[in-house]
Each structure stands twice: as C-alpha cells, then as structure tokens.
Amino acid sequence: MEDQRICIKFCVKNGFKGAEIFWMLQTGYGDAVMSRKRVFEWYKRFKEGREETADNERSGRSSTSTTPEKVDKVLKLVREDRRITVREVAEEAGISFGSTQSIMKDILGVRRLNAVLVPKDLTFDQKNARKETASLNLEATTDDPELLKRVITGDETWIYGFDSETTQQASEWRFKNEPRPKKARKAPSKVKVVLTVFFDYQGIVHHEFQQQSSTITADSYLGILRRLREVISDSGVGAAIIFHSQEHQPVLLRLHPDCNVFQAELLAILWAAQITETSPTKTAVTIASDCRSALAAICSSGPTRTSLVANIIKVLNKDPYIKLCWVTGHTGIDENELADSAAKNSATSVLQPSYSILIRNHARNLTHKAALSSWTVLYSQDHSTRSLRRIAATPSHLLKFLPKISHGEAPTTILTGHVLADITRVHPETDPTCIHCSEEPQTVDHLLFSCTGFLRHRMQTAILLELTQLNLASMASLPDSTST
C-alpha cells in the first residue's frame, strides 16, 4: 500500500482533488486499490503537511516468552547443567523451542562448544605448581637468554603400522549430478610401537623405539636416559680454564664433535690470553698447559697454518705480560687436575659449541664412517666371508688381523687414515674388476674418485670441503682447517 500512498502524495503536491485521486487509483490498481475512506484520510494528512508515507508504528501484542522472568529461568537452567539441551530447557521453562533458542542465542549469548582433548585434567594444586615453574623459567630466561638453547626435552608417541585415511583426505572434486565418493571404514592398525624422541632448539638429539612385548618401567626409562647421556657425551670435545685466584669462576668451553683435543688445548690458551689482555690490571700472568704439542706449535718459528695459533700469537705480541708455561699432566697438580675434570664435564654438557672450525681429518672421518658402514653390510651378506666370520664376527674384530695378511696385486682394501674402509676377500682376488660397479679395475684411485658405488659419499665430501671437483690435486691444495 505504500506505493499508493506515494501516488496520493504526488497528486496532492500537484493540486488534484480527493475524488480525482481516488478515480486515478481505481484506474491504475483496480481491485487492489485501497478504500475511499483510506484515500481521503491520507489526502487530508498530506494536505496538512505530512511527508512520511509509511504507517505509524503500533505497539502490537506484548511478548510473553522473552519476559525477564523467563530469561532468568533459562539462565538458571543453563548454569545448573551446562550439558542440558535446548528442548529440555524449553520443557522446563514452559516456552516454545524457537523462543528458547532466541533467548539463549540472542539475549544470553551462549553457544554450545565441543570439549577440547587434553593429555590430563590437572587439579588446582597441579595448575598452581605449573604456574610457579613457568614463572621461575621466565625469570631464568630473562637473566640468561641462552638458557633455552641448553635445554633438551623429550616426548613419547604411538607409531602405528598404518594410519587410516580420513574423510577429508579422501575428498575428491565432483561435477554436478555426480555422486559423493565413498570410503570404506577401517579400524586402526593393531601393529604399534612407542617412539621416544629427545630434541633441543636445533632439532632431534636422540630417538629410539620401545621393543615389542616389553613393558615401560622405571628401569627402561633409566636405560633410555643413560643412552641419551652417551649420545650427548659422544657429541663434543671440552676445554676448561681454571684461575689460581678464587676471584674468577672457571670457564668451560665445548667444541664441535669433530674437533680434536689439540684444538681444545689451543682454544683454552687463546681464551685465557684474551681474558688477561682485557683485564684492567696489567700484571704478569702465567698460562700453564700440560699439552706440549700446543705450546710447541705456538713457539714454532715456521709458517703458521692454524687460525688458533695465529690468534694466540697476536695476543701475545700485544701483551708482553703474558707468559706460557708447560706442566706435566696427571702428577697431582691441583689446578691441572681441576682443569682436566672441568674439561670432561664441559664435553658431556649441553653447552653450545664455542668453536667449530674443523681440520681436514673431519672429511676423512666422514669418509671412514660411511665406508665402514657399507663394508659392514657387505661383510655380513657376502657368502664367501662365512668362514671368516667365525674368527671375526664384525669388521672391527677383523681389523686386528689385517696387518698380518698379505694381499695380491689387485688391491682388496681401502685404507682411510689408519682404518680399513672396505675389503672384498682375505685371499688374493683373481678378478681385478671392481666389485661395486664392474666397470674398471679396482684400484685405489678408481675407488676413491670414480667408482659409482661411492658416488653419494664423494658428493657429500665435496660439498663439505667446498670443492667443484674431487681429485688428488684438489685434496692436496686444501688448507689444514676447513670452516663449517
């Protein structure tokens, strides 16, 4: 009807009479025209200056379901039982289902949420204890920002033989009028094992699987922790500085796992010299070490090829108050014994490495480990070594007998450093062809630089040493240290 009222207003503005307006509305709207009485009422209103064409608001019938009493009753029912359904609330409150939904959603603003799965429902005391522990950790990390880098944590999880595909993973694109894809319901795998993982801020440190049909007890956890300790102990070389004066705390240093003790001794001397150089009091200081080879390298007049030695010489040339002294090790000197003990502790600690410049022996060690692992597989699978395994069950045991064995002209071993990396037979080999690629004679140069059986190991070594081509010339031109 509002469109007819708009027409009436237009006609009033143009000076038409009420009867003329009614006749025009009859012509335009036919049976849908409003009554003559209503037309003249709106004619009078617009004539008096009304501008609005909409009806006046009416109070209507008052709501009987959303009264404050009903809202309070619904609120009380929800608070008493958080799992009550909308239909149960409607029956208890005596109102309709739709009105109950409107009260709960629009007026009270409540919504039903699924529960979140958590490992364990903690008590108030447990929550309070966790809060206190988190506060202490926050204070500790504020005082020492590197604290979290020295933390190793662990967790356990079930590993199944297979995981059932979810409906979301099985979803497919379908065109119009095509049926939905179907997926058969499968039970979870019954084959499962417990995986224990320890990790730090850099990644996984140690992991192991629980043996089948074994029970997780305190002894099994203790064994896991011991093996973790062994992994951490084998992953570093330590050094320490002990001051004769009690004013300074001992300095603990940890090197990269592939660094050697010689580098650890030089690093300790360098740090001690740098601490003395930066000291505000200039007095004569003697740095004592039980490593004669490290002191000899510093005092040598020949060309310096080690960065540690070069840095030590620079500090000694700047500060004439620093003197070096050699002491015999393991003879009861208190400071020396304390330094040895502290160096062992730093090697087994979770300190971040203070030095990680590796010598060429690192590449040699990597080659040895990879080749020794490959040799172990060949040694255990080769039928011709079955009788030999009665004498030496593993390649490590066989190494003790090799110096006494004579070989034929065709090389049957590869020596990396002082450790055997591969062996084909103990007796002389009649066929000189390489057993790994069967392409060229099995010579040392072929196995080290061209055999396709060791291609992956050569690529890893070339990337580590930053070489575009791995051969005898490029290896001979390498410096004594390689930065990683």
Side-chain angles (χ1 to χ4, degrees):
M1 294 294 179
E2 187 175 1
D3 55 341
Q4 296 185 38
R5 292 193 290 269
I6 294 174
C7 293
I8 295 172
K9 180 180 178 181
F10 175 79
C11 292
V12 171
K13 294 289 186 179
N14 287 275
F16 288 94
K17 302 294 183 178
E20 296 175 343
I21 297 174
F22 179 68
W23 176 79
M24 287 188 290
L25 289 176
Q26 280 184 323
T27 305
Y29 288 96
D31 295 337
V33 68
M34 66 174 59
S35 65
R36 181 183 179 89
K37 181 180 178 180
R38 299 293 298 172
V39 172
F40 276 89
E41 286 180 357
W42 281 102
Y43 172 81
K44 182 179 179 181
R45 292 173 186 175
F46 291 130
K47 194 73 174 176
E48 293 174 351
R50 181 186 175 99
E51 295 293 336
E52 295 292 333
T53 58
D55 279 333
N56 296 330
E57 294 183 358
R58 302 176 183 178
S59 59
R61 181 184 175 185
S62 60
S63 175
T64 59
S65 60
T66 58
T67 59
E69 294 78 10
K70 296 290 185 180
V71 173
D72 293 339
K73 191 171 184 179
V74 172
L75 178 60
K76 182 179 178 181
L77 291 172
V78 173
R79 285 181 173 176
E80 289 177 353
D81 185 5
R82 294 300 181 97
R83 297 189 177 184
I84 193 171
T85 63
V86 178
R87 193 170 299 280
E88 291 173 345
V89 173
E91 293 176 356
E92 292 287 338
I95 56 180
S96 65
F97 184 85
S99 298
T100 305
Q101 283 184 319
S102 177
I103 292 174
M104 296 179 68
K105 181 179 179 181
D106 300 332
I107 299 177
L108 298 180
V110 296
R111 53 179 181 166
R112 195 176 185 92
L113 300 177
N114 295 334
V116 178
L117 294 177
V118 295
K120 186 179 180 182
D121 191 9
L122 302 179
T123 63
F124 176 78
D125 294 336
Q126 291 173 334
K127 293 179 180 179
N128 193 30
R130 287 200 173 192
K131 179 183 177 182
E132 294 178 356
T133 303
S135 301
L136 293 175
N137 291 336
L138 182 61
E139 294 177 1
T141 52
T142 303
D143 298 335
D144 184 8
E146 300 294 325
L147 176 63
L148 294 180
K149 295 183 178 180
R150 301 193 297 270
V151 174
I152 295 179
T153 185
D155 199 2
E156 299 171 343
T157 184
W158 283 104
I159 302 297
Y160 292 88
F162 65 89
D163 292 328
S164 300
E165 188 181 42
T166 64
T167 54
Q168 184 177 5
Q169 292 172 339
S171 62
E172 299 177 0
W173 292 107
R174 293 297 179 99
F175 293 96
K176 190 176 180 179
N177 300 328
E178 287 186 343
R180 295 181 60 181
K182 295 181 180 180
K183 176 185 177 298
R185 188 183 299 275
K186 292 184 179 180
S189 172
K190 295 182 179 180
V191 180
K192 59 181 181 178
V193 65
V194 176
L195 172 63
T196 305
V197 182
F198 295 91
F199 50 90
D200 58 5
Y201 81 105
Q202 291 182 327
I204 296 177
V205 177
H206 175 63
H207 73 280
E208 57 181 78
F209 293 92
Q210 184 73 17
Q211 296 181 358
Q212 292 286 350
S213 67
S214 60
T215 306
I216 300 178
T217 60
D219 293 335
S220 62
Y221 275 118
L222 184 60
I224 293 174
L225 294 177
R226 285 175 177 171
R227 289 186 288 274
L228 173 64
R229 181 73 177 185
E230 292 176 357
V231 171
I232 299 174
S233 301
D234 295 339
S235 60
V237 179
I241 303 172
I242 302 297
F243 298 91
H244 182 72
S245 174
Q246 300 296 330
E247 299 177 358
H248 300 280
Q249 296 293 329
V251 177
L252 302 182
L253 305 173
R254 184 167 174 263
L255 287 76
H256 191 275
D258 292 295
C259 293
N260 53 26
V261 179
F262 176 74
Q263 290 175 302
E265 296 285 351
L266 290 176
L267 182 64
I269 296 174
L270 176 61
W271 275 58
Q274 291 175 344
I275 293 173
T276 303
E277 181 190 11
T278 57
S279 177
T281 58
K282 295 298 182 180
T283 58
V285 175
T286 301
I287 301 176
S289 174
D290 61 355
C291 183
R292 180 175 291 181
S293 59
L295 296 175
I298 297 171
C299 300
S300 176
S301 58
T304 302
R305 303 180 62 186
T306 305
S307 59
L308 284 174
V309 175
N311 293 332
I312 293 173
I313 294 175
K314 290 180 181 179
V315 177
L316 294 179
N317 292 334
K318 291 180 181 179
D319 194 342
Y321 295 97
I322 303 176
K323 305 296 181 182
L324 300 180
C325 175
W326 173 75
V327 294
T328 56
H330 309 290
T331 56
I333 301 176
D334 295 338
E335 287 80 1
N336 187 59
E337 298 296 333
L338 290 175
D340 290 341
S341 177
K344 293 179 181 179
N345 293 334
S346 63
T348 59
S349 67
V350 293
L351 294 173
Q352 292 304 306
S354 304
Y355 186 81
S356 58
I357 299 179
L358 312 179
I359 58 177
R360 278 192 298 179
N361 288 338
H362 177 58
R364 183 181 299 172
N365 293 336
L366 290 179
T367 306
H368 156 61
K369 291 179 182 179
L372 185 60
S373 175
S374 176
W375 176 40
T376 303
V377 176
L378 294 175
Y379 183 80
S380 60
Q381 296 178 352
D382 195 350
H383 297 287
S384 62
T385 59
R386 185 179 301 170
S387 58
L388 182 60
R389 288 198 295 270
R390 298 177 182 176
I391 303 174
T394 62
S396 301
H397 296 158
L398 184 60
L399 293 176
K400 301 178 181 179
F401 303 97
L402 290 177
K404 303 177 182 179
I405 300 175
S406 60
H407 304 278
E409 294 181 358
T412 57
T413 63
I414 303 174
L415 292 175
T416 304
H418 300 286
V419 181
L420 183 68
D422 188 314
I423 182 171
T424 59
R425 303 288 187 274
V426 175
H427 54 80
E429 181 64 46
T430 56
D431 185 6
T433 305
C434 177
I435 64 170
H436 300 286
C437 63
S438 302
E439 296 177 356
E440 300 180 12
Q442 184 172 312
T443 62
V444 174
D445 289 341
H446 167 72
L447 291 170
L448 288 178
F449 302 114
S450 61
C451 181
T452 57
F454 298 96
L455 177 61
R456 181 171 61 87
H457 305 117
R458 281 197 300 276
M459 293 178 62
Q460 292 178 349
T461 305
I463 294 173
L464 179 67
L465 299 178
E466 298 180 356
L467 295 176
T468 57
Q469 186 176 6
L470 190 64
N471 49 39
L472 288 175
S474 60
M475 293 289 290
S477 62
L478 288 174
D480 282 345
S481 59
T482 302
S483 178
T484 61

